Amino acid sequence: MRIIDTHCDALLKLQLSQRNYDHSKLLNFTNATDLDCSYERLEKGGVAVQFFAIFIHPDVPSDEKWQHALEQVNLFYTEVLGKNPNMKHIKAWDEMDRLQDDEIGAVLTLEGADAFGNDLMKLRQLYRLGVLSLGMTWNNANLCADGAGEPRGGGLTLLGKEVVQLNNEHHVLTDVSHATVKGFWDIVELADYPFASHSNARTICDHRRNLYDDQAKAMFEKGGLIHVVFNPPFINKDSEDADISDVIKHIDHLCSLGGVGQIGFGSDFDGISSFVTNLEDASHYPNLINELLKHYSEDEVKGFAYQNFLNHRPK
Ligand SMILES: [Zn+2]
């Protein structure tokens, strides 16, 4: 079954390997076993579209963040696209409709506005480079918003609100996955295309990265999507262990809130250090699909896998 996966951190892993300044250590996107989302694993798992996040670690000094972002964009072009002819860059949403069966679409996203600081020219440049989904923060605060790990729990700043407006104008998703509760509500109010690229249900696992029921319902009412994440600590409270049935509990719960047509998958592969049993990398997607088919109709599972995203993506 064809899959749309809306979050991975393969670009960061590629960049870290490149920054060893030893060319023999640069991970090979085609088949490196260190990559959960290598081309071969995506192909084996039936992934039709993979989102690739630009993510800058908070330890990177502010004046080096833009350089780090450009390095990751460069690796997206040279290693992900350039060396794998069947990887196709999705630069506009309707290009997903023209993928051939043997092609895998690649979507560039940004996880954290600190990459561009307060320089909206840089943001416009990122749109031109193909960024189609933008999360304001990782867990730390930046000039646009507080992240889910900030104790003060602030929402969007004036700059953050301006960025949401620019996302709307560019038909870019505004990702709530690392937002504070207050930031979430600011985004749901202002964004034409609110989106949770990799978050679960907080009623099932009380973690700051997950969404309360009223948040999930608001997303669904606004036409937004919630893509469930395969990171065990976001699945089972205080646990590094989870199996596929635990992931399905989150799907069941989000469906009970009205989300059957508006949920999908956002693995967080290459950004996580513990794994769901039998779902350790992108090649294992059929294990999840087969288990879901025991609980849901084929149409519903196709919805989770890709059709829900296609139905609710920006135009
Ligand atoms: Zn994340």
Side-chain angles (χ1 to χ4, degrees), residues 227-248:
H227 281 228
V228 297
V229 54
F230 307 154
N231 188 19
F234 306 167
I235 297 170
N236 291 326
K237 187 142 178 66
D238 301 323
S239 178
E240 296 293 318
D241 294 312
D243 59 30
I244 286 174
S245 68
D246 297 318
V247 176
I248 293 177

Side-chain angles (χ1 to χ4, degrees), residues 7 111 178 198 209:
H7 192 84
E111 186 174 39
H178 282 268
H198 57 308
R209 284 275 290 96

Side-chain angles (χ1 to χ4, degrees), residues 62-74:
S62 295
D63 61 353
E64 295 176 27
K65 286 180 190 284
W66 181 240
Q67 177 64 26
H68 278 244
L70 291 181
E71 283 179 20
Q72 291 183 28
V73 173
N74 187 55

Side-chain angles (χ1 to χ4, degrees), residues 220 225 251-264 296-297 299-305 307-308 311-312:
F220 298 145
L225 292 142
I251 292 174
D252 290 345
H253 187 74
L254 291 169
C255 285
S256 79
L257 300 174
V260 69
Q262 284 164 264
I263 60 177
Y296 290 93
S297 72
D299 275 352
E300 286 169 336
V301 178
K302 278 183 182 165
F304 305 153
Q307 194 60 45
N308 292 347
N311 292 349
H312 292 277

Side-chain angles (χ1 to χ4, degrees), residues 49-185:
V49 179
Q50 178 65 54
F51 286 37
F52 292 86
I54 304 163
F55 165 66
I56 318 297
H57 194 276
D59 290 349
V60 174
S62 295
D63 61 353
E64 295 176 27
K65 286 180 190 284
W66 181 240
Q67 177 64 26
H68 278 244
L70 291 181
E71 283 179 20
Q72 291 183 28
V73 173
N74 187 55
L75 288 162
F76 176 76
Y77 277 93
T78 58
E79 301 302 311
V80 175
L81 300 171
K83 295 184 180 167
N84 300 281
N86 284 354
M87 295 290 307
K88 294 291 170 194
H89 188 187
I90 304 291
K91 298 181 290 300
W93 294 113
D94 60 354
E95 291 173 10
M96 284 184 174
D97 303 326
R98 296 192 281 280
L99 286 171
Q100 305 297 313
D101 283 346
D102 63 345
E103 292 176 339
I104 299 175
V107 174
L108 197 56
T109 74
L110 180 68
E111 186 174 39
D114 37 339
F116 59 84
N118 70 343
D119 187 342
L120 296 180
M121 272 304 153
K122 288 179 178 165
L123 173 59
R124 290 175 188 281
Q125 202 59 32
L126 289 173
Y127 292 143
R128 282 188 199 101
L129 289 165
V131 165
L132 290 180
S133 175
L134 189 156
M136 292 293 162
T137 62
W138 187 59
N139 293 327
N140 304 53
N142 59 43
L143 296 175
C144 287
D146 280 359
E150 285 292 344
R152 82 184 155 181
L156 295 182
T157 62
L158 284 176
L159 179 66
K161 292 178 181 180
E162 202 175 339
V163 170
V164 173
Q165 201 53 48
L166 283 168
N167 287 344
N168 291 346
E169 286 169 22
H170 288 82
H171 296 200
V172 164
L173 295 162
T174 301
D175 189 348
V176 300
S177 274
H178 282 268
T180 61
V181 171
K182 183 157 191 329
F184 170 92
W185 290 109

